[in-house]
Amino acid sequence: MQLFPCPFCGPREEAEFHYGGEAGNPRPEGTDVRTGEWTDYLHLRTNPKGTTAEVWVHLTCREFFVMTRNSVTHEILDSSPLHADHAQ
């Protein structure tokens, strides 16, 4: 089992975490959002090969954070609290 670094609790087993999506995917705002905008938000991802920033939640402390990892090797490069510029 892989250890994930929660920036609030430290290293924990990956089973304690849930993937939240690609970081930097802003949610459409307002009440007059076109269907295409919702479709893009929900389904279109860059899915890069290599370094990627992802939003994760630690189910134990219920905190959201951004984990930067390599999608090929699964090496974890960094984890930091979720800021407004990464919000979904």
Side-chain angles (χ1 to χ4, degrees), residues 30-46:
T31 56
D32 191 24
V33 179
R34 293 179 300 114
T35 303
E37 288 179 272
W38 275 114
T39 301
D40 292 351
Y41 171 72
L42 293 172
H43 303 290
L44 292 184
R45 301 290 178 261
T46 58

